[in-house]
Amino acid sequence: MIKEQIDIDILKERMATKVSDVWRVGGWQLTSGGVFSAYSAEAFLVVGSPNVLIDCGSHLTYDELLRNLSVIGVRPEDIGLVLATHSHGDHIGAAAKLKEVYGIPFAIHPGDAGEAEQGFHDALSPAVFTPPVAVDSLIHDGQEFQVGDRTFSIYHLPGHSPGSVCIGTQSVDGPRLMFVGDVVHGIFSAKAIEERGESIFELMLKWADGLERVRNLDFDYMFEGHVFPFMENLSLMDEDEQHNFVGRLLSEMDSRRKGAENGKELIDTRIFLLRQGFLHLPDYYISEDCLTAGK
Ligand SMILES: [Zn+2]
């Protein structure tokens, strides 16, 4: 009983963000899997009447999503919409079941709606089959719409996927919020793009243009779909240096998950890399071993 209470307190602390009306309900340390697992995408609950989910995680973490919601006292019946940043399974896999069991409608951009409705398995995104989900409404670039008394703004930003969007809204605390899905960390498969018959170079420039537009919008906190760290080469460090480095890195990542205050700088870095022709982040991501060492 006591242990359970402690676990719930820890979970609740992990779920809190920098604003009182947004909770992390899926992602790092909240749903199964490590930083790079297919189950690790961040899912956010925007509090209101009704509540809105921005992404909902994989179907494989559906039960954990429900548990997390119950930790903050939110009933799935009180969620009015799942708003998708894009169609990848680690972000929307649970949407089919949320709709089937609780009747929660699902909204996505037309560029990704086909994939969402068919269900799909994209070798890179990450390798999880996405159960098909019927799309109830399409969201478009420049659209503003109300859910209850809250306004959401949609910015179409293809690149990570054809129908990726950023979603803006304002916190009841005042700050303006931007949910960017995966368009800032931006990893994708060049091969998948080739298969879709798009020119990679043109796509990268379009992607950078879209990021520039979002970067120039007025927002205070940026919420990412994953927080992937850039890594120094750990093998060049001695054990103490590694330990310190990983510790600092983890606390920065944690702060970003709760709403990055340096979101515009992070977007600038991504724009720079895209314009230089870099599709992927460096290969030396943090490993599970490093994470353990940092604890
Ligand atoms: Zn993705």
Side-chain angles (χ1 to χ4, degrees), residues 86 88 90-91 125-126 160-161 182 185 187 226:
H86 63 298
H88 289 164
D90 51 336
H91 295 258
S125 67
H160 179 78
S161 71
D182 285 358
H185 80 77
I187 197 170
H226 305 266

Side-chain angles (χ1 to χ4, degrees), residues 34 47 79 107 115 124 130 133 140 151 176 197 252 282:
V47 177
I79 296 171
E115 281 189 340
L124 195 266
T130 313
V133 55
H140 298 276
T151 305
R176 291 172 184 278
E252 199 223 292

Side-chain angles (χ1 to χ4, degrees), residues 172-204:
V172 292
D173 301 344
R176 291 172 184 278
L177 317 175
M178 190 63 73
F179 297 87
V180 299
D182 285 358
V183 300
V184 174
H185 80 77
I187 197 170
F188 68 61
S189 157
K191 190 166 165 285
I193 297 299
E194 276 164 10
E195 280 167 5
R196 291 188 192 118
E198 296 176 66
S199 147
I200 292 171
F201 187 65
E202 273 174 33
L203 185 86
M204 286 163 72

Side-chain angles (χ1 to χ4, degrees), residues 44-63:
F44 298 99
L45 183 96
V46 182
V47 177
S49 7
N51 301 295
V52 171
L53 270 178
I54 296 186
D55 291 342
C56 54
S58 161
H59 64 297
L60 300 171
T61 53
Y62 173 79
D63 291 340

Side-chain angles (χ1 to χ4, degrees), residues 14-17 22-31 34-35 37-45 53-58 61 65 83 85-86 88 90-92 179 181-182 185 223-228 253-254 256-259:
R14 287 174 184 164
M15 292 168 72
T17 70
V22 175
W23 293 92
R24 298 176 60 227
V25 290
W28 169 238
Q29 293 186 320
L30 294 174
T31 39
V35 179
S37 99
Y39 320 139
S40 68
E42 301 280 315
F44 298 99
L45 183 96
L53 270 178
I54 296 186
D55 291 342
C56 54
S58 161
T61 53
L65 175 74
L83 197 46
T85 60
H86 63 298
H88 289 164
D90 51 336
H91 295 258
I92 65 154
F179 297 87
D182 285 358
H185 80 77
F223 294 88
E224 299 171 83
H226 305 266
V227 179
F228 286 178
M253 285 161 60
D254 197 44
R256 278 170 57 185
R257 283 192 181 87
K258 291 167 175 286

